[in-house]
Structures are given as C-alpha cells and as structure tokens.
C-alpha cells in the first residue's frame, strides 16, 4: 500500500509543470541575489574604499567606536560625492561584500534570504490544493480509509522536494562562487553539514505548517498566501510589538523576542557559527511546529469528506 501511494503521488508530481519551474526560478533568484552581493561594489557605491571599510570594521563595538565609524563613513561619503562630481564616472561592478567568502557563507546568505520557503509554499499550494479543486481523492478508491497513510506519503514527498530546493540553492552558491567570487572554497566541514540539515529541517517544518493550512481551508491560495506573508516578514512588526508588550507586562529580560519561537526568524538568523543554545532552540521550535501541524493536517483529512 505504501509503495502504491508513493508511485501514485510521484507520478502526479512529475506531471506538474511547477515541479520543474520552481527550481529554475530559485536558481535565477539566488544568482541575482549573489550577483548584487558578490559582483557589485556596494561599498564603492556608498563612497567607501576597501581600506576605509576595514578601518570602520576594526573600530570595535563601543559607543565611541560606533560614533567614530559613523563620522568616518559620513566623511568618506562626502569625499566620494565630490570625487564623483569631478570625475563624472561611477564604477558599479567590482568586488562585493561577499566576493572573498567561501561557499558555505554564501549558502548561509542564500538560505537566510528565505527564497526557498517561499517557492516551497507555492509548490505545496499547487500540489495539495489540486486535491480539492479536482476532487482527486474521491477517485482514489484503493486508499479509502487510508487517508492518514496518504497524508504521510505526501508530507514525505514535500520533505523530499524541500531537499531538492536546498540542494539547488547549494549548487547555485557554488556556481556563484565560481563565476562571481574570488575562488570556490567548498569547506564542507562539520559545521556546514550540520547547518545544511538543520536548515532543511526548519524548511520542512515550515512546509508542514503550509500543508496544514491548505487542508484546513481547502484552498491553494491560502497556503501560498501564508507562505508569502511569513517569508516576506510581513508579520515582523507585529511580532516585535507583541514581544515588547509581553516583556514589559511580565518584566522579562530585554533580549526576549517572540521571533525566537518562529520558524522564519530561526531560519533567517541561524548561521554557521551559531552557539549550541541557539541551534537547540531552533530545532525544538521546528519540531513542535512540525508535530502540531502534522497532527492538525491528519485530523483534518480524517474527520471530513473531501467534496
């Protein structure tokens, strides 16, 4: 039964045009993002030379350091604007902030941009939403009474597709380093491997939430809209205000933030050098979202007819 369900769903996924279009879209988006950070001289556009940037970065994090770095950057900007007016020539292409970085660091940037979860939301909306727009499950008589099994198979394939997108991002990071960076430094050490699988797990947990939303609403648009709202950070202001209210109301530490308990915030902020406490919190957070949304999805498809 499990093998038949896998083959049935794989065939359906293979017939969807979005299955092939979305990785291509991800590749283009990531390449454009990396081009801006690796091949565009952003510091030069701000009027800063590499030497000035290094001086600013070396001024420390004290209040005096911030003030001195601000004034240095301000003066450099004035000098640059004068020189641009005199030379009437502006060089845009050059060595960007990530030009010298390794592939894992570039991959970290690309994953933190949350492009993957946006495109995964679109895939899930189209993949699961079709069940309700076409009445597909009514025709799968062989799986009558086995909806929990079928739901588990579909979630397994969503997790697999998330891995495909994750690998696509990694490959694009390598291509970016090869064509736009100083060199290709794969540096596939333990920290990178852990980061790769932890961020994939967070992505799967996010996909589970979107899948539950699609089943609860029986709508393609609902899942896709939820993915857009969360991946674009449209709720970040609301979360920040709510965090401030809770912190003041219960006299919590100043570093309290509800964003620490959201998948998107953890996915965007976790890095190759994050400490163990932060990583464990992110994993536990993802696990809770994954289990709860999976249970909601299973109960939803089991307790009502699909019409």
């Amino acid at each position: 039964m499990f093998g038949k369900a896998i083959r049935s769903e794989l065939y359906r996924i293979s017939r969807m045009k979005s299955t092939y279009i979305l990785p291509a879209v991800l590749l283009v988006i990531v390449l454009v993002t990396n081009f801006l950070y690796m091949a565009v001289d952003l510091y030069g556009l701000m009027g800063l030379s590499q030497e000035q940037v290094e001086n600013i970065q070396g001024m420390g994090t004290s209040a005096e350091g911030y003030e001195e770095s601000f004034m240095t950057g301000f003066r450099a900007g004035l000098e640059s604007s004068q020189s641009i007016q005199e030379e009437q020539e502006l060089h845009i292409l050059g060595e960007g902030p990530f030009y010298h970085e390794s592939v894992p660091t570039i991959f970290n940037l690309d994953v933190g941009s949350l492009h993957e979860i946006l495109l995964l939301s679109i895939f899930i909306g189209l993949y699961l939403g079709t069940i309700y727009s076409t009445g597909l499950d009514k025709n799968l008589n062989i799986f009558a009474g086995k909806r929990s099994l079928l739901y588990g198979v579909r979630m397994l394939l969503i997790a697999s597709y998330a891995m495909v997108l994750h690998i696509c991002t990694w490959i694009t990071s390598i291509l970016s380093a090869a064509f736009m960076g100083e060199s290709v430094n794969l540096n596939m050490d333990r920290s990178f491997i852990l980061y790769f699988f932890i961020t994939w797990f967070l992505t799967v947990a996010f996909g589970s939430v979107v899948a539950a939303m699609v089943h609860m609403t029986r709508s393609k648009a609902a899942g896709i809209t939820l993915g857009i709202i969360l991946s674009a950070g449209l709720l970040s202001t609301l979360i920040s205000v709510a965090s401030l209210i809770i912190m003041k109301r219960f006299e919590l530490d100043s570093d309290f933030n509800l964003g620490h308990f959201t998948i998107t915030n953890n996915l965007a902020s976790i890095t190759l050098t994050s400490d163990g406490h932060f990583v464990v919190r992110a994993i536990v957070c993802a696990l809770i979202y994954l289990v709860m949304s999976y249970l909601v999805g299973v109960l939803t498809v089991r307790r009502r007819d699909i019409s």
Side-chain angles (χ1 to χ4, degrees):
M1 184 68 71
F2 180 79
K4 291 180 180 179
I6 286 284
R7 289 193 294 271
S8 173
E9 294 302 305
L10 279 176
Y11 176 77
R12 190 158 71 89
I13 289 176
S14 68
R15 303 292 294 177
M16 293 171 52
K17 293 181 180 179
S18 58
T19 302
Y20 312 101
I21 294 175
L22 292 176
V25 171
L26 178 63
L27 185 146
V28 172
I29 292 175
V30 173
L31 280 178
V32 171
T33 301
N34 291 343
F35 176 80
L36 294 176
Y37 282 100
M38 299 177 68
V40 175
D41 186 8
L42 297 179
Y43 292 139
L45 291 176
M46 293 186 294
L48 299 174
S49 66
Q50 188 62 36
E51 182 180 358
Q52 290 171 326
V53 171
E54 292 175 356
N55 290 336
I56 292 173
Q57 291 174 342
M59 287 178 181
T61 57
S62 63
E64 294 79 5
Y66 278 124
E67 181 180 1
E68 186 177 356
S69 63
F70 173 80
M71 293 306 299
T72 301
F74 181 76
R75 288 192 297 269
L78 290 178
E79 295 172 359
S80 174
S81 62
Q82 294 173 356
S83 63
I84 290 174
Q85 292 176 356
E86 294 173 358
E87 298 175 5
Q88 297 296 319
E89 184 178 1
L90 179 64
H91 298 283
I92 297 177
L93 299 181
E95 297 181 3
F98 284 80
Y99 175 79
H100 301 283
E101 299 295 344
S102 63
V103 170
T105 303
I106 300 170
F107 179 70
N108 186 179
L109 168 70
D110 296 332
V111 171
S113 299
L114 305 182
H115 302 312
E116 278 186 40
I117 61 173
L118 172 60
L119 296 178
L120 181 64
S121 300
I122 296 174
F123 170 77
I124 294 172
L126 297 175
Y127 172 46
L128 298 181
T130 303
I131 296 171
Y132 299 101
S133 64
T134 63
L136 174 68
D137 279 7
K138 292 191 299 182
N139 300 319
L140 296 178
N141 297 326
I142 190 174
F143 298 113
K146 301 291 184 181
R147 290 182 182 174
S148 297
L149 171 66
L150 197 55
Y151 187 88
V153 168
R154 287 167 177 165
M155 284 306 307
L156 178 62
L157 293 179
I158 288 173
S160 301
Y161 194 76
M163 176 60 76
V164 170
L165 294 179
H166 217 46
I167 293 175
C168 181
T169 300
W170 178 59
I171 293 174
T172 309
S173 300
I174 296 175
L175 294 176
S176 300
F179 293 102
M180 294 178 281
E182 181 181 31
S183 62
V184 180
N185 180 10
L186 293 177
N187 194 23
M188 296 181 63
D189 55 9
R190 180 174 176 272
S191 62
F192 169 74
I193 295 174
L194 287 174
Y195 175 82
F196 184 92
F197 285 102
I198 289 171
T199 50
W200 168 74
F201 182 67
L202 287 167
T203 303
V204 173
F206 183 88
S208 180
V209 174
V210 175
M213 175 62 71
V214 173
H215 281 295
M216 286 190 295
T217 60
R218 304 188 183 190
S219 170
K220 297 178 182 179
I224 295 174
T225 302
L226 177 65
I228 293 174
I229 290 174
L230 295 179
S231 62
L234 299 180
L235 297 179
S236 57
T237 301
L238 180 61
I239 291 174
S240 299
V241 173
S243 300
L244 183 60
I245 293 174
I246 294 175
M247 182 180 66
K248 296 296 184 182
R249 176 66 178 81
F250 297 99
E251 299 182 354
L252 301 176
D253 294 336
S254 58
D255 61 348
F256 174 79
N257 186 356
L258 288 175
H260 295 326
F261 307 101
T262 64
I263 297 175
T264 50
N265 182 274
N266 284 310
L267 194 57
S269 57
I270 192 172
T271 67
L272 295 162
T273 57
S274 295
D275 58 44
H277 172 75
F278 185 89
V279 173
V280 170
R281 183 180 62 195
I283 294 174
V284 172
C285 174
L287 184 61
I288 292 174
Y289 277 100
L290 178 62
V291 172
M292 294 301 295
S293 58
Y294 184 86
L295 291 176
V296 169
V298 169
L299 291 175
T300 299
V301 300
R302 286 184 60 183
R303 295 172 67 91
R304 71 183 183 195
D305 293 331
I306 298 178
S307 58

